[in-house]
Amino acid sequence: MGHPADLDRWTEVDGYIETVVLAPDPVLEESQAASRRAELPEIAVSPAQGALLHLLARTRGARRILEIGTLGGYSTIWLGRALPPDGSLVTIEADARHAEVAEANIARAGLEGIVDIRVGRALDVLPGLAADGAEFDLVFIDADKPSNADYFGWALRLTLPGSLIVVDNVVRDGTVVDADSSDDRVTGSRRVLETIGADPSVTATVVQTVGRKGYDGFAVAVVEDHRPGR
Ligand code: SAH
Ligand code: DHB
Ligand code: MG
């Protein structure tokens, strides 16, 4: 986490960014409030990070998005708003209570026609998507961290050249460099980054972030044309 004063400063700067750069957004604010009232864990992406997801989806021209880990639907709304009216977003959530909060938030955002919430464990839901021949232009991986390498494997199967894959929370206070960590969230992050780095079918980077959520980072990968085995 660094010194507590650092987190105060990062949070203050996030507040500044939210005030100066991001537009006031009653729908997103109400979704945060509803998630807080429902006592969901306060681990949604920050507004500035949500806006980045939105911009990535827009610049990609995404029409079909897959999200793994819905929580209260905060990142879902940012991503769903990047889609054209005939776009679609599938979001997978294991916890039925989280999904219920998300459903209301997504409806309040007017995105119920675009967003399909699948309640279940992602590793149980993803094979069905593949069997249905689903293909996505952007995949946002943000669920249980130990499974990240598995999710990345599914994301590769469910995307096409030019698709983006984003993995949240891969730096975790810098613990990602702890090779001997016994924390399976850390080993999960290390494993997905090693998988990404060793896979010639993606070009990727990791960006470290600070802000109101502390010190973390995300991986961004673009799927290349060269896809051994496809
Ligand atoms: N993307 C959200 C935050 C997701 S938090 C946002 O930024 O707004 C992670 C979510 O993943 C939690 O709601 C948790 O219940 C869910 N989750 C945990 N394990 C899961 C699994 N195996 N399959 C699907 N969802 C899971
Ligand atoms: C945690 C999970 C997240 O997706 C996140 O963005 C931050 C924290 C967590 O499980 O601690
Ligand atoms: Mg996250």
Side-chain angles (χ1 to χ4, degrees):
M1 186 75 70
H3 195 272
D6 294 334
L7 180 60
D8 288 348
R9 192 69 161 169
W10 303 335
T11 301
E12 188 184 350
V13 173
D14 251 344
Y16 174 80
I17 293 165
E18 289 154 18
T19 303
V20 174
V21 181
L22 305 183
D25 199 317
V27 167
L28 283 170
E29 280 155 28
E30 178 52 28
S31 93
Q32 290 171 311
S35 297
R36 216 173 294 122
R37 284 196 299 275
E39 294 179 27
L40 265 47
E42 299 203 14
I43 55 177
V45 294
S46 69
Q49 292 169 345
L52 178 63
L53 292 174
H54 176 90
L55 291 169
L56 288 172
R58 292 264 301 275
T59 52
R60 171 68 198 112
R63 308 182 68 81
R64 303 156 300 179
I65 294 175
L66 172 64
E67 175 177 71
I68 306 176
T70 317
L71 191 64
Y74 183 76
S75 55
T76 317
I77 294 170
W78 275 108
L79 285 166
R81 285 174 167 181
L83 289 167
D86 63 341
S88 63
L89 189 160
V90 175
T91 183
I92 308 174
E93 175 53 55
D95 187 318
R97 202 174 62 86
H98 295 184
E100 220 173 280
V101 175
E103 189 181 10
N105 284 334
I106 287 160
R108 205 178 296 109
L111 292 169
E112 68 277 8
I114 280 181
V115 175
D116 176 6
I117 308 176
R118 302 283 177 93
V119 182
R121 289 179 353 177
L123 289 176
D124 297 330
V125 174
L126 290 162
L129 293 177
D132 292 345
E135 291 175 329
F136 299 96
D137 308 306
L138 187 153
V139 180
F140 179 47
I141 299 174
D142 192 22
D144 53 314
K145 311 311 171 189
S147 301
N148 268 349
D150 296 323
Y151 297 153
F152 185 79
W154 281 105
L156 277 181
R157 292 185 52 170
L158 292 165
T159 49
L160 295 169
S163 295
L164 288 178
I165 303 171
V166 181
V167 188
D168 198 18
N169 312 119
V170 295
V171 174
R172 309 203 66 93
D173 287 331
T175 55
V176 68
V177 299
D178 297 345
D180 301 330
S181 177
S182 55
D183 182 336
D184 60 2
R185 293 166 304 182
V186 175
T187 55
S189 291
R190 290 176 63 83
R191 207 153 63 84
V192 74
L193 296 183
E194 286 157 18
T195 302
I196 289 171
D199 190 337
S201 68
V202 295
T203 300
T205 189
V206 174
V207 180
Q208 302 188 69
T209 57
V210 295
R212 58 171 73 256
K213 293 190 70 184
Y215 168 34
D216 211 327
F218 50 85
V220 182
V222 64
V223 179
E224 295 292 1
D225 259 321
H226 314 283
R227 313 212 40 196
R230 274 187 64 151

